[in-house]
């Protein structure tokens, strides 16, 4: 059966083993990620080869959407787990999931794989019958940003880390060194006490920037579920914590997941030194990528883009959202709402 029976522990474990060992594995495609997203309903789908071995998987989470009339968004975050450029294999996975998802009231099955955009790939997906949302969508019209900021670490070890530092923008290098000179230090833990300190900085930052933020219980689940894969980083001087971040170590990368900073002593540039220490964690654990996360626009007037670009010196453009639509009216209303935000 291509839909994992959650009561069949042997089948579930087989599925999880595939996710954990696949060269295409992603943190947001793990079963553990579904446990963090506790208000979403999971659905785990796979296909096999002629010998019965799993060759592709989709970890899908569903949630009812008000704009879609209460019908469900079925979302495969950063998946599926397979060679995503094999369009026929991707289509097999969508085919396996479609009947079940429609029975559950889904209006769309959406995936947004971390694979670079090319005209050829875009054309192949559309030819296979998918609705693809990328270059025609502006602003915050996609669930996750299509532009991502990645730092390639494949050529670096702790022995030549100074060479990596020299690839950063000169102002970024200056700010890392300034933080050190001014007495900023960075440590990490995954304890409740560290989480409390991080959350304080995260809440202050969100209110300063007038953006929404998750309840602390969400981050408590992250620490509980992922254990040693997660670190809470804290940058401080002799008097107080100045900034914090949560980083996740999984697959080929360390992912800068969430951050925060207080309104105090921002001239000490604690965020720059904290990022440098998280990058070192990636190198220490032989990761090939440090993932700064996404941006919605490439604009040097935007502080977030300017900060991340100082480390990465470039943007990766992903293919976007690959949709199979089950209810055109609900789909249109949902997209119109997203594009209006």
């Amino acid at each position: 059966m291509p839909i994992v029976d959650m009561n069949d522990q042997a089948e579930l474990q087989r599925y999880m083993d595939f996710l954990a060992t696949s060269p295409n594995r992603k943190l947001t495609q793990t079963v553990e990620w579904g446990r963090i997203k506790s208000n979403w309903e999971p659905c785990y789908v796979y296909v096999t080869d002629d010998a019965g071995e799993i060759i592709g998987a989709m970890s899908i989470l569903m949630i009812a959407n008000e704009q879609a009339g209460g019908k469900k968004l079925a979302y495969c975050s950063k998946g599926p787990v397979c060679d995503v450029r094999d369009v026929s294999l991707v289509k097999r996975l969508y085919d396996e999931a479609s009947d079940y998802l429609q029975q559950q009231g889904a209006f769309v099955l959406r995936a947004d794989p971390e694979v670079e955009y090319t005209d050829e790939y875009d054309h192949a997906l559309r030819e296979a019958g998918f609705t693809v949302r990328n270059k025609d969508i502006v602003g915050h019209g996609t669930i996750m940003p299509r532009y991502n900021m990645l730092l390639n670490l494949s050529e670096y070890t702790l022995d030549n880390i100074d060479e990596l530092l020299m690839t950063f923008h000169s102002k970024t290098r200056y700010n890392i060194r300034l933080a050190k000179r001014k007495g900023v230090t960075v440590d990490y833990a995954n304890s409740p006490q560290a989480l409390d300190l991080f959350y304080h900085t995260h809440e202050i930052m969100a209110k300063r920037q007038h953006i929404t933020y998750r309840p602390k219980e969400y981050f408590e689940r992250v620490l509980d579920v992922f254990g040693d894969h997660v670190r809470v980083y804290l940058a401080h001087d002799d008097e107080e914590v100045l900034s914090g971040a949560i980083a996740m170590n999984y697959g080929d990368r360390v992912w800068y997941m969430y951050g925060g900073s207080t309104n105090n002593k921002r001239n000490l540039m604690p965020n720059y030194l904290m990022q440098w220490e998280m990058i070192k964690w990636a190198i220490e654990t032989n990761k090939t990528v440090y993932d700064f996360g996404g941006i919605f626009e490439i604009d040097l007037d935007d502080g977030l883009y300017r900060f991340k670009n100082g480390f990465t010196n470039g943007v990766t453009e992903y293919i976007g959202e690959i949709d199979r639509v089950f209810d055109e009216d609900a789909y249109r209303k949902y997209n119109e709402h997203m594009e209006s935000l």
Side-chain angles (χ1 to χ4, degrees):
M1 182 69 180
I3 307 294
V4 174
D5 180 355
M6 297 297 288
N7 295 314
D8 186 335
Q9 290 301 311
E11 184 182 29
L12 179 60
Q13 189 61 55
R14 180 187 181 216
Y15 181 84
M16 293 173 66
D17 289 344
F18 172 78
L19 296 179
T21 58
S22 170
N24 303 296
R25 60 191 179 274
K26 298 293 180 183
L27 181 75
T28 55
Q29 282 293 286
T30 62
V31 172
E32 290 83 359
W33 185 255
R35 294 170 184 161
I36 291 172
K37 302 287 186 177
S38 57
N39 58 326
W40 294 63
E41 176 187 352
C43 170
Y44 302 116
V45 182
Y46 62 92
V47 295
T48 62
D49 61 16
D50 292 340
E53 297 297 322
I54 297 177
I55 56 173
M58 294 185 86
S59 295
I60 301 164
L61 298 176
M62 292 180 284
I63 193 167
N65 183 267
E66 180 181 354
Q67 285 72 36
K71 301 204 80 172
K72 296 176 182 177
L73 166 70
Y75 180 41
C76 175
S77 175
K78 302 186 180 182
V81 179
C82 65
D83 178 2
V84 185
R85 290 195 175 275
D86 184 343
V87 175
S88 62
L89 180 54
V90 172
K91 187 174 183 298
R92 280 188 64 193
L93 283 161
Y94 275 73
D95 290 345
E96 293 288 358
S98 291
D99 286 347
Y100 176 80
L101 295 178
Q102 290 181 84
Q103 292 167 13
Q104 300 304 308
F107 67 91
V108 65
L109 170 55
R110 170 169 292 175
D112 49 6
E114 292 182 323
V115 59
E116 290 190 42
Y117 174 92
T118 65
D119 289 340
E120 294 77 12
Y121 185 43
D122 178 75
H123 178 74
L125 289 167
R126 295 177 191 272
E127 283 290 299
F130 292 108
T131 300
V132 189
R133 304 177 72 246
N134 45 45
K135 289 185 176 295
D136 55 328
I137 308 301
V138 297
H140 294 251
T142 54
I143 295 176
M144 297 298 294
R146 276 205 318 116
Y147 299 111
N148 213 53
M149 309 295 284
L150 303 176
L151 178 62
N152 187 339
L153 303 176
S154 59
E155 298 179 6
Y156 301 103
T157 67
L158 292 180
D159 292 334
N160 67 347
I161 197 169
D162 288 342
E163 295 177 18
L164 173 63
L165 183 66
M166 293 306 297
T167 68
F168 299 166
H169 190 279
S170 60
K171 185 64 173 177
T172 298
R173 297 197 303 270
Y174 175 84
N175 287 338
I176 291 171
R177 291 163 177 159
L178 181 146
K180 290 181 179 180
R181 289 199 309 271
K182 296 295 184 178
V184 176
T185 57
V186 178
D187 52 30
Y188 64 86
N190 58 357
S191 66
Q193 294 80 9
L195 183 63
D196 287 343
L197 293 168
F198 156 77
Y199 194 74
H200 177 67
T201 71
H202 184 66
E203 191 173 30
I204 291 173
M205 177 274 298
K207 291 178 178 178
R208 183 176 65 241
Q209 298 183 0
H210 306 289
I211 59 176
T212 59
Y213 57 98
R214 297 183 182 277
K216 191 168 72 171
E217 292 76 17
Y218 173 84
F219 298 103
E220 290 172 343
R221 290 196 297 274
V222 170
L223 265 64
D224 180 60
V225 170
F226 283 104
D228 291 341
H229 289 286
V230 59
R231 284 181 178 178
V232 180
Y233 278 82
L234 299 168
H236 51 85
D237 65 3
D238 291 339
E239 297 177 341
E240 60 187 315
V241 171
L242 303 173
S243 61
I246 290 182
M248 305 288 290
N249 189 315
Y250 188 84
D252 65 347
R253 69 191 58 198
V254 165
W255 174 25
Y256 167 44
M257 189 177 179
Y258 292 98
S261 60
T262 72
N263 298 323
N264 301 332
K265 304 176 185 176
R266 297 174 66 190
N267 61 316
L268 300 186
M269 303 299 170
N271 291 330
Y272 285 87
L273 183 59
M274 186 170 61
Q275 289 292 338
W276 182 233
E277 292 301 320
M278 292 191 291
I279 291 167
K280 287 181 181 178
W281 185 30
I283 293 174
E284 289 167 0
T285 52
N286 300 312
K287 303 304 179 185
T288 58
V289 175
Y290 182 83
D291 189 338
F292 279 90
I295 55 161
F296 281 101
E297 58 182 343
I298 304 171
D299 183 357
L300 283 173
D301 290 331
D302 178 79
L304 183 62
Y305 168 71
R306 191 167 60 249
F307 174 76
K308 294 179 178 181
N309 190 62
F311 291 89
T312 63
N313 294 300
V315 173
T316 299
E317 180 184 3
Y318 288 147
I319 189 62
E321 294 174 339
I322 304 171
D323 292 348
R324 176 169 290 180
V325 181
F326 306 128
D327 185 321
E328 291 284 355
D329 186 56
Y331 180 73
R332 175 183 56 79
K333 291 177 179 177
Y334 172 77
N335 286 336
E336 286 177 351
H337 172 72
M338 290 291 293
E339 291 168 19
S340 71
L341 297 177

